[in-house]
Amino acid sequence: MSKLWQARFFTTVNHLRDLPKTTVPEIAFAGRSNAGKSTTINTLCNQKGLAFASKTPGRTQHINFFSIGGAHVAMHRKDETKVDEIRCMIVDLPGYGYAEVSGDTKLYWQRLLGDYVQQREQLAALILIMDSRRPFTDLDVQMLEWFAPTGKPIHCILTKVDKLTRNDATNALRQAKARLDSYVDEDGEGFPFTVQLFSALKRIGIDEATAKITELAGLDDDAAAAQVDAIDTPDDDA
């Protein structure tokens, strides 16, 4: 069973000063509104109502944290989350690109997003959700360029590939890889950017995304450590 299935709601914040004091790795999901961010999170965590989208400002316009570990599976269990047993956080960032909200609100969200992705020490990686039919909008590029100087990984998930023909999907992936490879640092070295295709409807790319996020969060290190412990621990009958 995927460790992401353990995800449950932890807290929601609207100001950087209210960010959790936890020190575990955070994997943040960012994306343009209607790119399929909430659906992607719910699919990977195997929970229909964990993250949800709205066409009007609401809970999804805050930074929402979901804990992995520290509690039983499923967000609706009432047992207390054991903070010291949390292994990582899945972070749902506000969807960007709303046309309906005021200019001041947009600027506030932009500042909140920018400050979080650039300054949050616990942030281990960014998962950038883009519609495979319209990737790399100006706002997507802005998010890439905000985060790139940190040197931390970005994994791009191109959603809704069920809307594309196989040939178009292949081309979209190739073009996305070329676009990401064009980003280099001042020494000419490429950034740790990766990309994949995804469809929640057709169940495409779920295993690939799960494996990548597990790796970025260090959750596969837990499994490796457990295997080492099992090897090192002698059997009672030995």
Side-chain angles (χ1 to χ4, degrees), residues 2-4 27 88 207-221 223:
S2 167
K3 291 185 179 180
L4 300 183
I27 306 297
C88 78
D207 290 345
E208 181 180 356
T210 297
K212 187 65 179 180
I213 293 166
T214 300
E215 172 196 341
L216 293 171
L219 293 174
D220 51 359
D221 294 339

Side-chain angles (χ1 to χ4, degrees), residues 8-14 18-22 59 62-67 81 89-92 120:
R8 66 185 301 178
F9 178 73
F10 184 75
T11 191
T12 184
V13 303
N14 197 31
D18 297 326
L19 290 172
K21 306 303 182 185
T22 52
R59 176 183 164 194
H62 296 69
I63 299 178
N64 295 302
F65 288 77
F66 305 102
S67 60
T81 299
M89 292 282 190
I90 298 298
V91 184
D92 185 9
R120 181 68 165 171

Side-chain angles (χ1 to χ4, degrees), residues 69-179:
H72 292 290
V73 176
M75 62 178 295
H76 298 297
R77 293 288 294 263
K78 300 302 182 182
D79 53 309
E80 183 179 358
T81 299
K82 298 178 180 178
V83 177
D84 60 343
E85 294 181 7
I86 293 174
R87 305 307 304 150
C88 78
M89 292 282 190
I90 298 298
V91 184
D92 185 9
L93 298 177
Y96 46 80
Y98 271 98
E100 296 88 350
V101 299
S102 68
D104 288 344
T105 301
K106 285 182 181 179
L107 288 174
Y108 176 75
W109 289 344
Q110 184 181 56
R111 191 179 310 115
L112 183 67
L113 282 169
D115 288 348
Y116 174 78
V117 300
Q118 291 172 328
Q119 300 175 19
R120 181 68 165 171
E121 183 177 350
Q122 294 91 323
L123 181 55
L126 183 73
I127 309 300
L128 183 57
I129 306 298
M130 295 184 288
D131 188 325
S132 59
R133 300 166 297 176
R134 294 178 292 276
F136 299 104
T137 67
D138 290 345
L139 292 173
D140 296 324
V141 171
Q142 184 177 46
M143 180 61 74
L144 275 168
E145 295 180 352
W146 269 343
F147 194 68
T150 68
K152 299 173 183 177
I154 295 179
H155 184 59
C156 298
I157 294 181
L158 303 181
T159 61
K160 307 182 184 182
V161 295
D162 53 280
K163 306 293 185 182
L164 300 177
T165 65
R166 180 174 298 182
N167 187 57
D168 286 343
T170 299
N171 288 336
L173 183 61
R174 183 176 64 250
Q175 292 169 9
K177 286 181 177 178
R179 180 74 176 264

